Amino acid sequence: MKSIRNNLFMLRIIWRAAPRRIFWELLFVCADCAVELVYTLFFLRFIIGCIEQKIAFGQIAVCILGYFGVSALVSCCGVYLKQAVVPQTNVLIQSKLMDMIYQQALKVDLSCYENPKFYDIYTQANEEVLTRTTEILSTMSFLVSIIMSMIGFGAAVLIYEPFILPFLLAAMVLVQAVQRRFVEARFTRRKATVGERRKMDYVNRVVYLQDYAKDLRLTHIFAPILRNFHEAAKSSREVSRRYGKRAGIYRIFSSVISSLTVFLGIQSIIVYRYLVFHQYSFGVLTTVLNAASGLDGCLGDLIWAGARLNENGAFIENFREFLSYQPKMKEKEDAVIPQNGRHDLELKGVSFCYEGAEKPTLRHINMKILAGQKIALVGHNGAGKSTLVKLLMRLYDVTEGEILLDGINIKEYQAKGYRSLFGTIFQDFKVFAATVAENVLLKPVTNQMEKERVKEALQESGIYKKIQTFPNGMDSILTKEFDEDGILMSGGESQKLAIARVFAKDSSIAILDEPSSALDPISEYEVFENMMKACKGKTVIFVSHRLSSATLADRIYMMEDGEIIEEGNHQELIEKNGKYAEMFFKQAEKYREEEVL
């Protein structure tokens, strides 16, 4: 029953996406089946009868031409379906399915992307859903033709040789049992190789993505990556060989049963009754033989179609499981929508541990961030700074403690509304294959006012003059992903573009998670200085391992091993002569040495 529900679920999606496809599929399959039945049950017998009665060839030719005309018309419908309707509707169906996957992917918890099991489900859903959906449609259409044919062939058999039906039904039951084993073997084989296919796909991405191109050419890192590919391929082959042999045996056994039933059994009985008992004319013999063979074929096809529907239903279950995923970060129905404005943030006893990690990344964090304050989170890499930022934006929920906005736990707020308070740049920001303006606003640019906002943001981040040198200015396409004339920006230019996103967004709180790591210390200081001026009156939280920028902050939090070990303004921490002061003077000395060189 679950398999049937899954197939019907996908048919409803197809109907919503492309109802024309279902109409044409049904029209063609019914017409094609009707033509086939007429030929098998009536036309051949008619021709044989005409020959036996020595009817003039001219009269027979008229009938042949008439049948040929109808058959040609149906064939033309099939060509139109295959060449015009199918390609167009496949795009509509694919768009609908991928939109569903993309929308769900945006809803799932960020922690899912660190879970291999989730990736296996996502991989299966993404790999199979389009092919399985169109296959479900063709299988259902085929099922309609089978039912029509069974009615026609069954009627002919009942009229002339009703006693052979029990033999056909017995064979059908036996083949069905074998076919079920065949489907189970195929599904198990496919499921068992998901992890290996994901590993092989990773290698494929690494080879063609620009992000990895330089390292692959300048180092030997591809050797272990390629080794993983070959290991995954070997494991996949072993699984395929094991289950493929089993599936092949079941398939052969099914074919043998069907052949024995029809050719050595039923058809032999019919010919014997014709020759010995003269039950009917030669024309009727032809009809009965064709009907019996056709009915047996239909029963075999029915078993095959049922097996395919079961198999498709099993694969679609992955798609439905993915769509039904409920985020662990629950949102209340009466969640509060925060208003854009000045807000206080507070962390009380916050600890956080990533799923599957042995020890927490953050421990007992207490922090007050007043509206309009400029906060710096500093410390060595791995101190927990970026994780703290993700918790502030509620990309993860805290393991212990709570985060408050204006004294209210952030879990009480609508997640989308709460996150809209933040303008954020992460250290691993991305430049998208879109225009410069769209990359700044991170949405379509719809009016002149938005263009002006983009221009001002680019000027504030110090990249506008460079953008003016592009062929189409702010309308120039970035990256060469879809446009061979696309612009490739340097690391520093890309970071200034990313920083412009914060200037362009009307947010209450700006978070900068080491967005200037590709800039030199002086350029970084200038960017942060401009940022502070542009964000006047806003709360700014910036993460940096360069302490020269921290001097601009009202309050600095020094982090180490997931804990806050020092806090205060720059002068207070220098006077304290602790870890912050030690790190600051070491960096200052390093920069002076670089200037001398």
Side-chain angles (χ1 to χ4, degrees):
M1 289 301 295
K2 179 183 285 189
S3 178
I4 294 174
R5 287 196 298 270
N6 287 342
N7 281 276
L8 293 176
F9 170 78
M10 297 309 296
L11 281 177
R12 287 194 294 270
I13 292 175
I14 296 171
W15 176 257
R16 290 197 295 269
R20 184 164 70 110
R21 174 68 171 275
I22 294 180
F23 169 78
W24 275 100
E25 287 272 1
L26 290 177
L27 177 64
F28 172 71
V29 78
C30 291
D32 188 58
C33 182
V35 168
E36 183 67 24
L37 282 174
V38 168
Y39 179 82
T40 303
L41 299 179
F42 301 104
F43 193 71
L44 284 177
R45 189 174 66 182
F46 170 75
I47 295 297
I48 292 172
C50 289
I51 294 172
E52 289 178 338
Q53 297 174 29
K54 299 181 180 180
I55 294 176
F57 177 74
Q59 298 179 25
I60 299 175
V62 171
C63 296
I64 293 174
L65 288 174
Y67 175 82
F68 174 79
V70 174
S71 180
L73 181 62
V74 172
S75 296
C76 289
C77 289
V79 171
Y80 177 73
L81 170 67
K82 186 175 182 180
Q83 301 300 326
V85 177
V86 169
Q88 295 176 36
T89 54
N90 271 353
V91 174
L92 293 174
I93 295 167
Q94 182 180 21
S95 298
K96 178 69 175 178
L97 293 169
M98 298 315 296
D99 184 61
M100 294 172 71
I101 289 177
Y102 297 153
Q103 292 300 324
Q104 180 66 2
L106 293 174
K107 294 177 184 177
V108 301
D109 297 310
L110 202 62
S111 59
C112 289
Y113 292 92
E114 297 151 6
N115 185 342
K117 184 179 179 182
F118 168 81
Y119 264 117
D120 285 347
I121 295 173
Y122 179 79
T123 299
Q124 290 183 83
N126 206 13
E127 280 184 348
E128 298 286 346
V129 66
L130 179 61
T131 54
R132 293 293 168 180
T133 301
T134 53
E135 196 169 296
I136 284 171
L137 181 57
S138 61
T139 304
M140 293 295 267
S141 301
F142 186 50
L143 193 59
V144 171
S145 72
I146 292 170
I147 293 172
M148 288 182 62
S149 298
M150 286 184 70
I151 293 172
F153 292 139
V157 170
L158 282 172
I159 291 172
Y160 296 106
E161 296 288 357
F163 75 93
I164 66 175
L165 281 177
F167 293 97
L168 290 172
L169 292 174
M172 182 184 72
V173 171
L174 185 57
V175 172
Q176 172 67 34
V178 176
Q179 202 68 9
R180 187 181 297 112
R181 296 284 187 179
F182 169 74
V183 170
E184 289 174 356
R186 276 172 55 97
F187 179 73
T188 305
R189 177 182 63 184
R190 187 72 177 171
K191 187 175 182 180
T193 56
V194 171
E196 281 70 21
R197 294 200 309 276
R198 185 160 56 80
K199 292 176 185 176
M200 294 165 72
D201 184 59
Y202 169 76
V203 179
N204 184 46
R205 292 200 312 274
V206 167
V207 169
Y208 80 78
L209 285 179
Q210 182 187 1
D211 299 357
Y212 306 97
K214 293 189 290 293
D215 289 324
L216 290 179
R217 283 155 180 77
L218 297 174
T219 70
H220 300 288
I221 187 61
F222 191 60
I225 292 175
L226 188 61
R227 183 181 65 241
N228 290 336
F229 176 87
H230 289 308
E231 288 175 355
K234 181 181 178 181
S235 176
S236 183
R237 287 196 304 271
E238 289 174 354
V239 172
S240 297
R241 183 167 55 248
R242 184 167 65 252
Y243 288 103
K245 186 184 296 183
R246 191 181 304 173
I249 292 172
Y250 291 140
R251 192 68 168 174
I252 292 171
F253 192 40
S254 173
S255 299
V256 168
I257 294 173
S258 180
S259 299
L260 286 174
T261 302
V262 177
F263 298 107
L264 296 182
I266 294 171
Q267 291 194 352
S268 297
I269 294 173
I270 293 172
V271 171
Y272 176 79
R273 286 169 59 80
Y274 168 75
L275 293 174
V276 176
F277 298 103
H278 307 291
Q279 292 288 109
Y280 23 65
S281 66
F282 183 72
V284 172
L285 171 67
T286 303
T287 299
V288 176
L289 286 173
N290 286 336
S293 178
L295 187 58
D296 178 76
C298 285
L299 292 174
D301 289 341
L302 183 64
I303 293 168
W304 179 89
R308 295 301 292 169
L309 289 176
N310 284 331
E311 183 178 308
N312 291 332
F315 281 105
I316 293 302
E317 184 64 23
N318 293 311
F319 178 61
R320 297 195 71 177
E321 184 179 352
F322 175 72
L323 292 183
S324 64
Y325 174 84
Q326 294 298 317
K328 297 175 184 176
M329 295 173 59
K330 299 295 183 182
E331 190 169 290
K332 296 182 178 180
E333 294 182 2
D334 57 346
V336 180
I337 300 177
Q339 299 299 313
N340 199 13
R342 295 171 64 84
H343 299 282
D344 295 333
L345 280 165
E346 183 177 3
L347 291 82
K348 287 186 174 182
V350 168
S351 296
F352 177 75
C353 184
Y354 284 101
E355 187 175 339
E358 295 181 358
K359 65 176 185 176
T361 303
L362 295 174
R363 292 187 296 275
H364 314 301
I365 302 294
N366 293 287
M367 182 185 299
K368 284 187 178 181
I369 305 172
L370 302 178
Q373 229 178 4
K374 308 300 185 280
I375 300 296
L377 302 176
V378 300
H380 295 290
N381 291 334
K385 306 184 298 294
S386 295
T387 299
L388 182 56
V389 165
K390 293 173 184 175
L391 292 178
L392 282 172
M393 297 191 65
R394 211 193 166 200
L395 295 176
Y396 294 94
D397 273 337
V398 300
T399 307
E400 294 179 12
E402 59 180 349
I403 300 176
L404 307 174
L405 179 76
D406 298 331
I408 301 174
N409 193 308
I410 62 173
K411 294 179 181 179
E412 301 294 324
Y413 291 102
Q414 180 199 69
K416 184 177 180 180
Y418 173 76
R419 290 170 186 154
S420 69
L421 299 176
F422 297 85
T424 310
I425 312 172
F426 291 107
Q427 56 185 322
D428 56 349
F429 67 88
K430 301 299 180 186
V431 174
F432 298 97
T435 67
V436 172
E438 290 167 339
N439 263 283
V440 172
L441 285 185
L442 296 177
K443 70 181 188 69
V445 181
T446 57
N447 54 58
Q448 187 60 36
M449 186 179 298
E450 289 183 340
K451 278 195 172 184
E452 288 298 321
R453 198 163 84 216
V454 171
K455 179 180 177 180
E456 292 173 5
L458 292 170
Q459 288 172 335
E460 293 286 355
S461 67
I463 192 64
Y464 182 67
K465 288 184 179 180
K466 178 66 177 180
I467 300 299
Q468 284 183 302
T469 66
F470 294 169
N472 298 309
M474 295 188 300
D475 294 323
S476 299
I477 297 292
L478 298 181
T479 81
K480 295 184 180 293
E481 188 75 29
F482 306 123
D483 189 343
E484 61 182 16
D485 296 322
I487 305 296
L488 295 176
M489 302 179 74
S490 68
E493 290 167 349
S494 297
Q495 287 190 312
K496 289 181 179 180
L497 179 76
I499 289 168
R501 294 169 180 171
V502 174
F503 288 126
K505 186 174 181 181
D506 183 22
S507 55
S508 305
I509 306 168
I511 294 184
L512 314 174
D513 185 3
E514 299 204 72
S516 53
S517 58
L519 303 178
D520 60 77
I522 295 175
S523 298
E524 180 189 57
Y525 183 85
E526 290 174 352
V527 166
F528 275 114
E529 193 174 37
N530 290 336
M531 183 72 73
M532 296 305 174
K533 292 176 183 176
C535 295
K536 186 178 180 180
K538 292 185 178 182
T539 303
V540 179
I541 303 167
F542 62 92
V543 177
S544 180
H545 64 275
R546 289 174 179 166
L547 302 189
S548 58
S549 305
T551 60
L552 300 169
D554 299 321
R555 195 155 191 83
I556 302 167
Y557 292 89
M558 179 78 180
M559 297 185 68
E560 188 174 281
D561 197 25
E563 296 180 315
I564 295 174
I565 58 172
E566 293 177 8
E567 62 177 285
N569 60 37
H570 174 72
Q571 191 59 40
E572 290 171 349
L573 293 178
I574 291 294
E575 292 174 357
K576 190 175 181 180
N577 199 29
K579 286 288 185 83
Y580 175 85
E582 179 186 352
M583 188 175 175
F584 180 83
F585 288 124
K586 280 184 178 179
Q587 289 187 0
E589 183 64 29
K590 178 184 176 184
Y591 297 149
R592 280 195 291 269
E593 290 174 358
E594 289 176 354
E595 288 178 2
V596 171
L597 293 174

